[in-house]
Amino acid sequence: MVDIESRRLVRQWAGNRCEYCRLPEDLSDVPFHVEHIVARQHQGSDELSNLALACDRCNLYKGPNLASREGGQTVDLFHPRQHAWEEHSKFSSAKIIGVSSTGAATVRRLNMNAPRRVAIRQMVLECGESL
Ligand SMILES: [Zn+2]
């Protein structure tokens, strides 16, 4: 069980944004999840180094996955505590583009450019918020 202080720290570190798609939590209808990067079913711990803030969509699509199959190869997914987001992904307007194999695999696996998700990010940009 993740304690309240750990949840608070994860939210603070994440700047109240999804650590995968960067959506601000206060612009979401659904509270974000403090998720286990390595799922409990894969012996992931409740340590801070294994926790990340994720929107409901990213958390749903990621599930317990740590990797994806891309072009016949296994590619690690983005790990918010071990990777820098900017080294793996970038924004192109409201779309998220993977700039590494890990970034590209994560964008696909987490379905980050589903039309509704892009539309939400577009609204965020039109409201003058940054992503
Ligand atoms: Zn997200």
Side-chain angles (χ1 to χ4, degrees):
M1 184 76 176
V2 179
D3 61 57
I4 291 172
E5 179 61 10
S6 294
R7 291 176 186 278
R8 188 191 68 74
L9 281 171
V10 168
R11 279 199 155 72
Q12 181 181 335
W13 289 342
N16 295 308
R17 289 176 179 267
C18 174
E19 296 191 68
Y20 296 98
C21 75
R22 299 291 180 98
L23 184 69
E25 185 174 25
D26 60 355
L27 297 177
S28 173
D29 297 340
V30 182
F32 286 3
H33 306 225
V34 173
E35 67 116 14
H36 291 80
I37 300 165
V38 177
R40 285 182 176 145
Q41 72 188 73
H42 297 306
Q43 288 76 51
S45 75
D46 290 342
E47 298 295 316
L48 288 169
S49 60
N50 190 44
L51 300 174
L53 189 64
C55 71
D56 64 320
R57 297 287 95 184
C58 284
N59 197 28
L60 174 74
Y61 286 112
K62 178 180 172 288
N65 295 300
L66 297 171
S68 184
R69 292 288 287 173
E70 303 286 325
Q73 298 198 342
T74 301
V75 177
D76 288 343
L77 295 179
F78 176 73
H79 189 300
R81 293 290 160 269
Q82 295 177 359
H83 299 138
W85 194 90
E86 295 79 7
E87 293 177 9
H88 295 281
S89 305
K90 68 176 185 179
F91 283 104
S92 175
S93 187
K95 285 194 171 184
I96 299 174
I97 310 296
V99 297
S100 68
S101 57
T102 288
T106 304
V107 167
R108 274 194 288 280
R109 167 60 60 190
L110 277 57
N111 201 19
M112 289 182 179
N113 290 321
R116 178 169 153 60
R117 300 181 78 187
V118 172
I120 290 169
R121 288 195 293 270
Q122 188 62 44
M123 286 190 310
V124 170
L125 291 173
E126 289 170 5
C127 290
E129 296 276 339
S130 62
L131 291 171

